Amino acid sequence: MCEVCAIFGAGEHWSDFGRMRNDRYPFEDILHYRSERRRRLSLVNRILARFDLSCQDWDGETIAVHHVSGRFKLAPTLNDLWTVAEELAGRKIIDPLTPEFSAAGGPFRAEAA
Amino acid sequence: MDDRLALTLVTGFLGSGKTTLIRRFVETEEGGDTGIIVNEFGEEGVDHHLLVHAAEQVELLSGGCLCCARRNDVAEAMYRLVQMSRTGKAFSRAILETSGLADPAPIVATLNRDPWLRAHVRLASIVAVVDAVSILRTLETESEAVRQISIADTVVIAKSDMRNACETADIERRLRSISPDLRILDAQHAGFSLSDVLGGHGTPALIQGEGEAAPLPSAHSGEVSSFTLKIADRLDWPGFTIWLSALLHAHGDKILRVKGLLKTSSSQTPLAIHGVQHVMHPPTHLPEGNEDRQSFLVFITKAVEQEAIVRSLETFMRCKVSL
């Protein structure tokens, strides 16, 4: 965490390295990370909605996955998110090779690089 | 500059010649300052002052998938090696010799998942050593051997000088039917360099330089198949990471390797991506001048239909994919 602005970093998961980082001036990297994270979670919610699940970002550091019953679990990374979603759903639900998953995809709002 | 400890993972069946190869390297001037991790029940034969034994300690993570199992033995041995390097026994690189039947994937997963290891260790190369006498027979009967080849970026053919060794061309053809872009080296060849293979200089990302423009041919080897998907469009990166991470979550045990060069919404130049089963390495950015490179994805899979992946990618990403 930056001690001046209290903003957390730009993520360490492989999916957070889509943009070339500027180690000297990281602020734009952090803004880009948070913007992509918002878009990513919005798309994840489209996928999870049919399973009575939703997810929320906890300050850019972890993801809270909620079931309509009120149960929720935390998922630190995108990888953990799928496991946690299936634990809350009580069954295997995440499979991109199924039509249900694929249909929840684009169109995407492409950002300028 | 990456100053993490470079780790080369050496795999191969019992008797393949991997121990001999490692021993030859550490006896050279360059190899003398190499830290080595061997499995406690592995082959005898490497006598080295920087040797650490790893006991067999495998911890299954929740989900129970063996390829994701945390190798506590490997993690602990790596901690010890890095600590050794800080207490005066300086060394330049590390080699981890897996036991003959070990699946390298959990080791890759452990190195990737552990934040401390990620910060201190860089996986330079996964090398599979094969025995020219028996490898063709072994690949027919041992699925673990096929898996080791699929995950490796480099294969060293040992013992090709033996009287009953198979023809090197036949071995290469068989290996490329599993993994088309494998780097294949013959240890008996005059130009063979131990330093090149075990020196820790490489990266497993495997997008090899400017010359690689042509997509790889499809190949099949029993249940294992490899294919290349060409992608015309610039991909939305957040969307793509969701698709790929979910695909590896659901089918990572059957997707032995994925790698590619992708033009994305998040970067001016293409990204090189590389993953082994459930584990994706952080992508690397190609330098300027590569903006016109063709995007492609290579999959090496076991019992996953190519058509299913193409259909899913096209539908989810709203992109055009060709073979």
Side-chain angles (χ1 to χ4, degrees):
Chain A
M1 182 169 88
C2 171
E3 291 173 5
V4 173
C5 61
I7 292 178
F8 289 90
E12 295 303 316
H13 187 256
W14 67 268
S15 59
D16 299 320
F17 286 84
R19 173 190 161 105
M20 178 90 87
R21 296 205 176 174
N22 185 332
D23 290 332
R24 198 163 170 207
Y25 303 105
F27 187 66
E28 296 226 359
D29 293 340
I30 294 168
L31 291 184
H32 178 88
Y33 159 70
R34 299 197 85 149
S35 168
E36 282 206 340
R37 191 177 168 87
R38 268 196 303 276
R39 283 211 296 123
R40 195 176 281 120
L41 292 184
S42 167
L43 181 54
V44 169
N45 273 325
R46 281 191 348 221
I47 296 166
L48 297 184
R50 64 182 64 230
F51 305 110
D52 295 331
L53 296 168
S54 64
C55 64
Q56 272 183 326
D57 190 6
W58 274 22
D59 214 16
E61 283 299 306
T62 196
I63 305 163
V65 186
H66 295 263
H67 188 267
V68 290
S69 63
R71 289 177 292 134
F72 82 98
K73 286 188 169 220
L74 297 180
T77 71
L78 190 57
N79 290 6
D80 304 304
L81 171 63
W82 307 127
T83 303
V84 163
E86 289 182 336
E87 283 172 4
L88 286 172
R91 57 192 174 95
K92 296 280 185 195
I93 56 171
I94 301 298
D95 186 353
L97 301 186
T98 61
E100 295 77 18
F101 188 104
S102 326
F108 305 99
R109 177 175 56 84
E111 287 188 355
Chain B
M1 189 187 141
D2 193 339
D3 58 359
R4 294 177 293 169
L5 185 65
L7 174 71
T8 302
L9 211 153
V10 180
T11 183
F13 266 50
L14 208 61
S16 61
K18 59 181 164 50
T19 307
T20 305
L21 204 75
I22 295 170
R23 190 191 316 128
R24 278 174 50 199
F25 179 61
V26 300
E27 288 170 357
T28 65
E29 193 177 335
E30 182 193 353
D33 64 344
T34 303
I36 299 177
I37 303 172
V38 295
N39 186 277
E40 186 170 8
F41 301 107
E43 300 166 55
E44 293 299 320
V46 181
D47 181 15
H48 191 54
H49 64 289
L50 292 171
L51 192 71
V52 172
H53 282 284
E56 283 282 353
Q57 290 175 33
V58 179
E59 175 191 323
L60 280 178
L61 302 177
S62 65
C65 178
L66 197 60
C67 61
C68 298
R70 176 178 159 81
R71 289 288 301 268
N72 290 337
D73 52 340
V74 166
E76 196 179 312
M78 287 303 308
Y79 296 145
R80 274 190 272 151
L81 263 190
V82 175
Q83 296 303 342
M84 276 165 66
S85 75
R86 293 175 173 181
T87 55
K89 293 184 186 180
F91 48 89
S92 307
R93 71 191 69 73
I95 292 174
L96 193 161
E97 181 190 357
T98 70
S99 61
L101 287 173
D103 184 349
I107 299 172
V108 176
T110 299
L111 292 171
N112 189 267
R113 287 211 167 89
D114 187 312
W116 192 92
L117 286 176
R118 267 210 316 273
H120 291 84
V121 178
R122 171 179 68 85
L123 180 61
S125 183
I126 302 173
V127 178
V129 182
V130 303
D131 171 0
V133 173
S134 61
I135 185 60
L136 291 182
R137 213 165 41 247
T138 304
L139 286 172
E140 294 310 315
T141 56
E142 304 286 347
S143 61
E144 190 49 51
V146 176
R147 185 183 291 273
Q148 288 179 356
I149 302 300
S150 305
I151 291 171
D153 52 79
T154 302
V155 167
V156 174
I157 302 173
K159 309 181 192 177
S160 63
D161 57 331
M162 300 281 279
R163 188 170 52 85
N164 49 353
C166 300
E167 290 292 329
T168 303
D170 292 339
I171 297 172
E172 281 195 29
R173 194 164 33 247
R174 183 72 174 89
L175 294 176
R176 292 207 189 288
S177 75
I178 297 168
S179 184
D181 65 336
L182 208 48
R183 184 169 73 136
I184 301 174
L185 304 168
D186 187 337
Q188 295 301 320
H189 193 271
F192 179 73
S193 159
L194 283 164
S195 166
D196 190 34
V197 174
L198 299 177
H201 308 297
T203 68
L206 300 178
I207 303 300
Q208 304 282 2
E210 303 298 319
E212 187 182 315
L216 301 167
S218 295
H220 300 271
S221 172
E223 275 190 305
V224 175
S225 60
S226 59
F227 50 88
T228 301
L229 308 181
K230 285 184 277 184
I231 301 163
D233 312 300
R234 185 174 285 272
L235 289 179
D236 180 83
W237 179 247
F240 177 74
T241 58
I242 288 174
W243 179 81
L244 185 57
S245 72
L247 185 69
L248 297 180
H249 165 82
H251 301 285
D253 54 333
K254 299 190 288 288
I255 297 178
L256 303 179
R257 204 148 59 91
V258 60
K259 60 171 213 172
L261 209 61
L262 297 173
K263 288 188 283 199
T264 77
S265 57
S266 293
S267 176
Q268 298 276 16
T269 58
L271 294 181
I273 67 164
H274 178 233
V276 172
Q277 292 193 268
H278 294 267
V279 177
M280 286 297 296
H281 300 281
T284 53
H285 294 255
L286 265 62
E288 286 179 8
N290 285 284
E291 290 81 354
D292 293 333
R293 296 277 299 261
Q294 164 81 59
S295 291
F296 66 88
L297 277 175
V298 176
F299 285 89
I300 302 179
T301 69
K302 185 174 176 177
V304 178
E305 281 185 10
Q306 171 185 311
E307 291 73 24
I309 291 181
V310 170
R311 209 163 38 237
S312 170
L313 181 59
E314 284 187 322
T315 308
F316 189 84
M317 294 303 303
R318 305 291 197 267
C319 68
K320 191 74 190 81
V321 175
S322 57
L323 300 167

